[in-house]
Amino acid sequence: MQELCKHPFVLVRLPMPEDACDSYEIDCYSSLLVHRRCPKMYGKGLKDYVEQVPGSRSGSLFSERTLYPYVTGAALVAVEYKDGILMAADMGGSYGSTLRYKTIEQIKPIGKHSLLGASGEISDFQEILRYLDELILYDNMWDDGNSLGPKEVHNYLTQVMYNRRNKFNPLWNSLVLGGVKNGQKYLGMVSMIGVSFKENHVATGFGNHLARPILRDEWNENLSFEDAVKLLGKCMRILLYRDRSAVNKIQIVKITEEGTTNFPPYSLKTFWGFESYENPTAGEEGHHLKMTN
């Protein structure tokens, strides 16, 4: 073992020149503590040695992970009704705390029998849609008269999310998968760490806290389409009032045995004249005091 020098070092897995100072005498494809300011390395950027590693991409030194989501969608609510599945979500996309985008669709049809909705990181949702496009294409190539149903797609998504979680590189989404096949309705959910379950009504994000209590009280298995739309509208209105990431532009999609119907986006009727909104600190200690210079 060589004597450690005092230059700052960085952990890499690259073949380095023999005359560069390294902290440990191990094979060239193992982890080396390479001194960033070592005189032997002047003028020899680490990028120069990445291309020598079989299978590596130029300029890619480390394996990157999504540490936190960037552009995110807000809550999504879905219910079973008499004829099929109904999903609702707003079309906002937040860049951090900024409501940057207002035309993002969080609900997409999958194959002939399924409907997928997602909240969370939008780019990860797009990646999941690419996975599903490949899955549906592969299934169609068999041309055997059969097609994947919502239960199969739900199981597939559960394995994908759990697999990515085990790699410590999760897809930052909560997924809702609904559909109808052979007269059987199906509605399930998958979390970002692969926890999945099946239920008659589900919600993601703040909807778990604000919409699910309403659904437990007012949902029933014989809901008509009109009543289901009203119920989802009520849930989305509560979320609009309480969730700062929500936007008043709602997308509703239904799926039945006949197929998928995507309705035009619309805005909810709202009322902001509540006393608690106009004077939110009324009744609190010190609310009568005024700030003075």
Side-chain angles (χ1 to χ4, degrees):
M1 183 176 295
Q2 299 178 1
E3 181 182 356
L4 297 180
C5 74
K6 298 179 181 180
H7 301 300
F9 56 82
V10 59
L11 181 64
V12 297
R13 295 178 63 86
L14 300 171
M16 305 305 295
E18 295 180 357
D19 57 347
C21 58
D22 57 281
S23 300
Y24 298 93
E25 293 179 345
I26 50 183
D27 66 275
C28 64
Y29 288 106
S30 299
S31 297
L32 301 177
L33 291 176
V34 180
H35 300 118
R36 218 183 273 209
R37 297 180 183 174
C38 173
K40 302 288 186 180
M41 293 296 294
Y42 285 164
K44 300 178 181 180
L46 294 180
K47 181 179 178 181
D48 297 336
Y49 303 101
V50 177
E51 298 174 354
Q52 300 178 23
V53 182
S56 68
R57 294 180 300 171
S58 177
S60 177
L61 297 180
F62 306 102
S63 177
E64 297 181 358
R65 296 290 185 265
T66 302
L67 301 180
Y68 51 87
Y70 282 85
V71 179
T72 57
L76 181 145
V77 185
V79 297
E80 290 184 1
Y81 73 101
K82 184 172 61 176
D83 299 322
I85 305 295
L86 199 62
M87 290 189 190
D90 68 57
M91 302 186 72
S94 298
Y95 181 75
S97 59
T98 302
L99 190 56
R100 176 64 180 82
Y101 306 99
K102 299 182 181 179
T103 57
I104 292 178
E105 295 184 0
Q106 296 177 234
I107 306 172
K108 295 286 187 179
I110 305 297
K112 299 178 181 179
H113 308 287
S114 304
L115 200 61
L116 177 66
S119 61
E121 172 60 50
I122 300 301
S123 63
D124 283 349
F125 180 44
Q126 293 170 339
E127 179 74 4
I128 292 170
L129 292 176
R130 283 192 285 270
Y131 292 163
L132 292 173
D133 284 343
E134 294 178 4
L135 178 70
I136 298 300
L137 177 61
Y138 180 77
D139 181 59
N140 291 338
M141 288 172 62
W142 286 94
D143 195 22
D144 57 359
N146 192 19
S147 56
L148 294 174
K151 184 176 181 180
E152 291 80 22
V153 177
H154 186 225
N155 290 337
Y156 170 79
L157 290 173
T158 300
Q159 299 305 315
V160 168
M161 302 300 277
Y162 186 67
N163 176 265
R164 290 292 294 263
R165 173 257 190 187
N166 285 341
K167 293 180 178 179
F168 294 91
N169 188 21
L171 295 164
W172 287 68
N173 297 104
S174 293
L175 304 176
V176 175
L177 195 287
V180 183
K181 184 179 181 183
N182 299 329
Q184 299 294 318
K185 294 175 286 188
Y186 188 94
L187 181 61
M189 183 174 172
V190 187
S191 74
M192 66 175 287
I193 59 174
V195 176
S196 65
F197 60 90
K198 180 180 180 295
E199 184 57 275
N200 297 317
H201 49 76
V202 296
T204 66
F206 268 110
N208 267 322
H209 308 284
L210 302 177
R212 289 298 297 278
I214 298 173
L215 296 174
R216 293 189 187 103
D217 290 340
E218 302 186 19
W219 178 88
N220 66 79
E221 60 184 8
N222 295 317
L223 274 178
S224 67
F225 172 74
E226 292 76 13
D227 291 338
V229 170
K230 291 179 181 178
L231 180 57
L232 289 183
K234 183 176 181 179
C235 294
M236 298 306 295
R237 185 177 293 107
I238 295 298
L239 289 169
L240 179 62
Y241 285 147
R242 298 295 182 183
D243 186 358
R244 62 154 189 169
S245 300
V247 61
N248 194 5
K249 188 176 183 181
I250 308 301
Q251 175 192 18
I252 285 187
V253 186
K254 77 170 182 178
I255 185 168
T256 63
E257 192 70 52
E258 287 73 32
T260 303
T261 304
N262 194 342
F263 297 96
Y266 70 99
S267 297
L268 297 166
K269 293 182 179 180
T270 57
F271 175 73
W272 298 94
F274 296 109
E275 182 179 354
S276 58
Y277 287 168
E278 295 177 350
N279 190 8
T281 61
E284 298 294 332
E285 183 178 355
H287 76 279
H288 59 284
L289 299 177
K290 295 183 179 180
M291 297 296 294
T292 59
N293 293 329

mmCIF file of all heavy atoms in Angstrom, residues 19-46:
data_model
loop_
_atom_site.group_PDB
_atom_site.id
_atom_site.type_symbol
_atom_site.label_atom_id
_atom_site.label_comp_id
_atom_site.label_asym_id
_atom_site.label_seq_id
_atom_site.Cartn_x
_atom_site.Cartn_y
_atom_site.Cartn_z
ATOM 1 N N ASP A 19 1.111 5.986 -13.532
ATOM 2 C CA ASP A 19 1.896 6.954 -12.778
ATOM 3 C C ASP A 19 1.034 7.901 -11.960
ATOM 4 O O ASP A 19 1.540 8.795 -11.300
ATOM 5 C CB ASP A 19 2.794 7.768 -13.719
ATOM 6 C CG ASP A 19 1.977 8.469 -14.807
ATOM 7 O OD1 ASP A 19 0.789 8.109 -14.964
ATOM 8 O OD2 ASP A 19 2.541 9.343 -15.488
ATOM 9 N N ALA A 20 -0.308 7.735 -12.004
ATOM 10 C CA ALA A 20 -1.171 8.572 -11.181
ATOM 11 C C ALA A 20 -1.190 8.015 -9.773
ATOM 12 O O ALA A 20 -1.207 6.797 -9.569
ATOM 13 C CB ALA A 20 -2.584 8.607 -11.755
ATOM 14 N N CYS A 21 -1.175 8.900 -8.779
ATOM 15 C CA CYS A 21 -1.131 8.435 -7.394
ATOM 16 C C CYS A 21 -2.500 7.898 -7.008
ATOM 17 O O CYS A 21 -3.518 8.522 -7.228
ATOM 18 C CB CYS A 21 -0.715 9.560 -6.450
ATOM 19 S SG CYS A 21 -1.766 11.008 -6.510
ATOM 20 N N ASP A 22 -2.526 6.697 -6.468
ATOM 21 C CA ASP A 22 -3.759 6.109 -5.976
ATOM 22 C C ASP A 22 -3.531 5.630 -4.550
ATOM 23 O O ASP A 22 -2.416 5.361 -4.133
ATOM 24 C CB ASP A 22 -4.219 4.951 -6.864
ATOM 25 C CG ASP A 22 -3.151 3.885 -6.973
ATOM 26 O OD1 ASP A 22 -2.192 4.068 -7.764
ATOM 27 O OD2 ASP A 22 -3.270 2.898 -6.251
ATOM 28 N N SER A 23 -4.660 5.530 -3.819
ATOM 29 C CA SER A 23 -4.536 5.227 -2.398
ATOM 30 C C SER A 23 -4.336 3.747 -2.139
ATOM 31 O O SER A 23 -3.809 3.353 -1.117
ATOM 32 C CB SER A 23 -5.787 5.701 -1.664
ATOM 33 O OG SER A 23 -5.942 7.093 -1.821
ATOM 34 N N TYR A 24 -4.797 2.892 -3.088
ATOM 35 C CA TYR A 24 -4.699 1.461 -2.852
ATOM 36 C C TYR A 24 -4.191 0.774 -4.115
ATOM 37 O O TYR A 24 -4.552 1.147 -5.223
ATOM 38 C CB TYR A 24 -6.064 0.885 -2.471
ATOM 39 C CG TYR A 24 -6.614 1.450 -1.206
ATOM 40 C CD1 TYR A 24 -7.479 2.551 -1.241
ATOM 41 C CD2 TYR A 24 -6.267 0.930 0.023
ATOM 42 C CE1 TYR A 24 -7.996 3.098 -0.082
ATOM 43 C CE2 TYR A 24 -6.781 1.469 1.190
ATOM 44 C CZ TYR A 24 -7.629 2.542 1.132
ATOM 45 O OH TYR A 24 -8.138 3.078 2.284
ATOM 46 N N GLU A 25 -3.366 -0.249 -3.933
ATOM 47 C CA GLU A 25 -2.852 -1.006 -5.063
ATOM 48 C C GLU A 25 -3.825 -2.146 -5.356
ATOM 49 O O GLU A 25 -3.701 -3.253 -4.834
ATOM 50 C CB GLU A 25 -1.459 -1.557 -4.749
ATOM 51 C CG GLU A 25 -0.400 -0.463 -4.606
ATOM 52 C CD GLU A 25 0.961 -1.041 -4.280
ATOM 53 O OE1 GLU A 25 1.021 -2.219 -3.899
ATOM 54 O OE2 GLU A 25 1.959 -0.317 -4.408
ATOM 55 N N ILE A 26 -4.835 -1.872 -6.204
ATOM 56 C CA ILE A 26 -5.814 -2.874 -6.586
ATOM 57 C C ILE A 26 -5.989 -2.818 -8.092
ATOM 58 O O ILE A 26 -5.440 -1.947 -8.753
ATOM 59 C CB ILE A 26 -7.167 -2.637 -5.876
ATOM 60 C CG1 ILE A 26 -7.615 -1.182 -6.039
ATOM 61 C CG2 ILE A 26 -7.085 -2.980 -4.419
ATOM 62 C CD1 ILE A 26 -8.893 -0.851 -5.302
ATOM 63 N N ASP A 27 -6.740 -3.771 -8.656
ATOM 64 C CA ASP A 27 -6.819 -3.854 -10.110
ATOM 65 C C ASP A 27 -7.484 -2.607 -10.688
ATOM 66 O O ASP A 27 -8.230 -1.903 -10.029
ATOM 67 C CB ASP A 27 -7.598 -5.104 -10.520
ATOM 68 C CG ASP A 27 -9.050 -5.030 -10.111
ATOM 69 O OD1 ASP A 27 -9.334 -5.379 -8.961
ATOM 70 O OD2 ASP A 27 -9.884 -4.603 -10.934
ATOM 71 N N CYS A 28 -7.239 -2.372 -11.986
ATOM 72 C CA CYS A 28 -7.586 -1.091 -12.586
ATOM 73 C C CYS A 28 -9.084 -0.897 -12.732
ATOM 74 O O CYS A 28 -9.535 0.223 -12.955
ATOM 75 C CB CYS A 28 -6.919 -0.949 -13.948
ATOM 76 S SG CYS A 28 -7.476 -2.172 -15.169
ATOM 77 N N TYR A 29 -9.896 -1.941 -12.633
ATOM 78 C CA TYR A 29 -11.331 -1.779 -12.798
ATOM 79 C C TYR A 29 -12.052 -1.777 -11.453
ATOM 80 O O TYR A 29 -13.263 -1.858 -11.393
ATOM 81 C CB TYR A 29 -11.911 -2.878 -13.689
ATOM 82 C CG TYR A 29 -11.530 -2.713 -15.118
ATOM 83 C CD1 TYR A 29 -10.576 -3.548 -15.701
ATOM 84 C CD2 TYR A 29 -12.079 -1.697 -15.895
ATOM 85 C CE1 TYR A 29 -10.211 -3.380 -17.018
ATOM 86 C CE2 TYR A 29 -11.715 -1.522 -17.220
ATOM 87 C CZ TYR A 29 -10.783 -2.368 -17.776
ATOM 88 O OH TYR A 29 -10.410 -2.211 -19.077
ATOM 89 N N SER A 30 -11.286 -1.715 -10.362
ATOM 90 C CA SER A 30 -11.904 -1.631 -9.044
ATOM 91 C C SER A 30 -11.977 -0.172 -8.616
ATOM 92 O O SER A 30 -11.479 0.717 -9.299
ATOM 93 C CB SER A 30 -11.094 -2.445 -8.026
ATOM 94 O OG SER A 30 -11.069 -3.813 -8.408
ATOM 95 N N SER A 31 -12.611 0.056 -7.469
ATOM 96 C CA SER A 31 -12.759 1.426 -6.977
ATOM 97 C C SER A 31 -11.407 1.983 -6.557
ATOM 98 O O SER A 31 -10.684 1.366 -5.786
ATOM 99 C CB SER A 31 -13.712 1.455 -5.784
ATOM 100 O OG SER A 31 -14.987 1.022 -6.192
ATOM 101 N N LEU A 32 -11.055 3.139 -7.052
ATOM 102 C CA LEU A 32 -9.807 3.806 -6.713
ATOM 103 C C LEU A 32 -10.099 5.144 -6.062
ATOM 104 O O LEU A 32 -11.017 5.851 -6.462
ATOM 105 C CB LEU A 32 -8.964 4.045 -7.967
ATOM 106 C CG LEU A 32 -8.566 2.825 -8.790
ATOM 107 C CD1 LEU A 32 -7.799 3.281 -10.022
ATOM 108 C CD2 LEU A 32 -7.714 1.884 -7.970
ATOM 109 N N LEU A 33 -9.319 5.484 -5.076
ATOM 110 C CA LEU A 33 -9.385 6.821 -4.503
ATOM 111 C C LEU A 33 -8.369 7.680 -5.256
ATOM 112 O O LEU A 33 -7.188 7.705 -4.932
ATOM 113 C CB LEU A 33 -9.072 6.785 -3.009
ATOM 114 C CG LEU A 33 -10.134 6.108 -2.145
ATOM 115 C CD1 LEU A 33 -9.660 6.036 -0.701
ATOM 116 C CD2 LEU A 33 -11.448 6.853 -2.218
ATOM 117 N N VAL A 34 -8.841 8.331 -6.290
ATOM 118 C CA VAL A 34 -7.952 9.081 -7.170
ATOM 119 C C VAL A 34 -7.902 10.528 -6.715
ATOM 120 O O VAL A 34 -8.938 11.164 -6.528
ATOM 121 C CB VAL A 34 -8.459 9.006 -8.629
ATOM 122 C CG1 VAL A 34 -7.521 9.791 -9.533
ATOM 123 C CG2 VAL A 34 -8.540 7.563 -9.072
ATOM 124 N N HIS A 35 -6.711 11.049 -6.559
ATOM 125 C CA HIS A 35 -6.557 12.399 -6.077
ATOM 126 C C HIS A 35 -6.810 13.396 -7.188
ATOM 127 O O HIS A 35 -6.156 13.383 -8.225
ATOM 128 C CB HIS A 35 -5.158 12.583 -5.484
ATOM 129 C CG HIS A 35 -4.923 11.657 -4.353
ATOM 130 N ND1 HIS A 35 -3.936 10.698 -4.401
ATOM 131 C CD2 HIS A 35 -5.559 11.500 -3.176
ATOM 132 C CE1 HIS A 35 -3.951 10.004 -3.281
ATOM 133 N NE2 HIS A 35 -4.942 10.463 -2.520
ATOM 134 N N ARG A 36 -7.797 14.237 -6.973
ATOM 135 C CA ARG A 36 -8.259 15.144 -8.004
ATOM 136 C C ARG A 36 -7.173 16.153 -8.383
ATOM 137 O O ARG A 36 -7.099 16.590 -9.511
ATOM 138 C CB ARG A 36 -9.505 15.871 -7.501
ATOM 139 C CG ARG A 36 -10.550 16.087 -8.581
ATOM 140 C CD ARG A 36 -11.687 16.861 -8.033
ATOM 141 N NE ARG A 36 -12.646 15.972 -7.413
ATOM 142 C CZ ARG A 36 -13.934 16.247 -7.338
ATOM 143 N NH1 ARG A 36 -14.380 17.376 -7.820
ATOM 144 N NH2 ARG A 36 -14.754 15.415 -6.764
ATOM 145 N N ARG A 37 -6.334 16.537 -7.422
ATOM 146 C CA ARG A 37 -5.313 17.548 -7.683
ATOM 147 C C ARG A 37 -3.917 16.953 -7.774
ATOM 148 O O ARG A 37 -2.928 17.651 -7.614
ATOM 149 C CB ARG A 37 -5.363 18.610 -6.591
ATOM 150 C CG ARG A 37 -6.688 19.378 -6.545
ATOM 151 C CD ARG A 37 -6.690 20.411 -5.449
ATOM 152 N NE ARG A 37 -7.967 21.089 -5.342
ATOM 153 C CZ ARG A 37 -8.280 21.968 -4.392
ATOM 154 N NH1 ARG A 37 -7.369 22.273 -3.469
ATOM 155 N NH2 ARG A 37 -9.456 22.533 -4.351
ATOM 156 N N CYS A 38 -3.863 15.687 -7.998
ATOM 157 C CA CYS A 38 -2.555 15.048 -8.130
ATOM 158 C C CYS A 38 -1.825 15.631 -9.335
ATOM 159 O O CYS A 38 -2.406 15.736 -10.422
ATOM 160 C CB CYS A 38 -2.727 13.542 -8.310
ATOM 161 S SG CYS A 38 -1.181 12.692 -8.677
ATOM 162 N N PRO A 39 -0.560 16.035 -9.207
ATOM 163 C CA PRO A 39 0.183 16.619 -10.342
ATOM 164 C C PRO A 39 0.217 15.704 -11.553
ATOM 165 O O PRO A 39 0.263 16.166 -12.685
ATOM 166 C CB PRO A 39 1.588 16.835 -9.765
ATOM 167 C CG PRO A 39 1.369 16.949 -8.292
ATOM 168 C CD PRO A 39 0.232 16.022 -7.975
ATOM 169 N N LYS A 40 0.183 14.395 -11.341
ATOM 170 C CA LYS A 40 0.205 13.449 -12.450
ATOM 171 C C LYS A 40 -1.058 13.534 -13.298
ATOM 172 O O LYS A 40 -1.077 13.068 -14.435
ATOM 173 C CB LYS A 40 0.354 12.021 -11.919
ATOM 174 C CG LYS A 40 1.596 11.790 -11.081
ATOM 175 C CD LYS A 40 2.844 11.786 -11.945
ATOM 176 C CE LYS A 40 4.065 11.401 -11.116
ATOM 177 N NZ LYS A 40 5.290 11.379 -11.940
ATOM 178 N N MET A 41 -2.123 14.099 -12.720
ATOM 179 C CA MET A 41 -3.407 14.141 -13.413
ATOM 180 C C MET A 41 -3.675 15.482 -14.069
ATOM 181 O O MET A 41 -4.728 15.674 -14.669
ATOM 182 C CB MET A 41 -4.545 13.815 -12.433
ATOM 183 C CG MET A 41 -4.535 12.396 -11.915
ATOM 184 S SD MET A 41 -4.807 11.216 -13.234
ATOM 185 C CE MET A 41 -6.496 11.630 -13.668
ATOM 186 N N TYR A 42 -2.781 16.462 -13.940
ATOM 187 C CA TYR A 42 -2.988 17.765 -14.553
ATOM 188 C C TYR A 42 -3.151 17.620 -16.070
ATOM 189 O O TYR A 42 -2.336 16.979 -16.739
ATOM 190 C CB TYR A 42 -1.824 18.706 -14.250
ATOM 191 C CG TYR A 42 -1.819 19.250 -12.840
ATOM 192 C CD1 TYR A 42 -0.687 19.842 -12.305
ATOM 193 C CD2 TYR A 42 -2.963 19.163 -12.043
ATOM 194 C CE1 TYR A 42 -0.667 20.347 -11.016
ATOM 195 C CE2 TYR A 42 -2.961 19.666 -10.764
ATOM 196 C CZ TYR A 42 -1.814 20.252 -10.243
ATOM 197 O OH TYR A 42 -1.821 20.747 -8.967
ATOM 198 N N GLY A 43 -4.177 18.206 -16.607
ATOM 199 C CA GLY A 43 -4.421 18.145 -18.035
ATOM 200 C C GLY A 43 -5.022 16.841 -18.504
ATOM 201 O O GLY A 43 -5.221 16.632 -19.690
ATOM 202 N N LYS A 44 -5.310 15.934 -17.570
ATOM 203 C CA LYS A 44 -5.911 14.646 -17.927
ATOM 204 C C LYS A 44 -7.242 14.514 -17.197
ATOM 205 O O LYS A 44 -7.305 13.986 -16.097
ATOM 206 C CB LYS A 44 -4.991 13.490 -17.539
ATOM 207 C CG LYS A 44 -3.625 13.529 -18.214
ATOM 208 C CD LYS A 44 -2.769 12.381 -17.733
ATOM 209 C CE LYS A 44 -1.397 12.417 -18.380
ATOM 210 N NZ LYS A 44 -0.545 11.297 -17.923
ATOM 211 N N GLY A 45 -8.289 15.073 -17.793
ATOM 212 C CA GLY A 45 -9.605 15.003 -17.157
ATOM 213 C C GLY A 45 -10.070 13.578 -17.013
ATOM 214 O O GLY A 45 -9.719 12.696 -17.806
ATOM 215 N N LEU A 46 -10.873 13.327 -15.979
ATOM 216 C CA LEU A 46 -11.372 11.973 -15.761
ATOM 217 C C LEU A 46 -12.195 11.474 -16.935
ATOM 218 O O LEU A 46 -12.278 10.275 -17.192
ATOM 219 C CB LEU A 46 -12.234 11.945 -14.488
ATOM 220 C CG LEU A 46 -11.489 12.209 -13.178
ATOM 221 C CD1 LEU A 46 -12.459 12.161 -12.022
ATOM 222 C CD2 LEU A 46 -10.373 11.203 -12.981
#
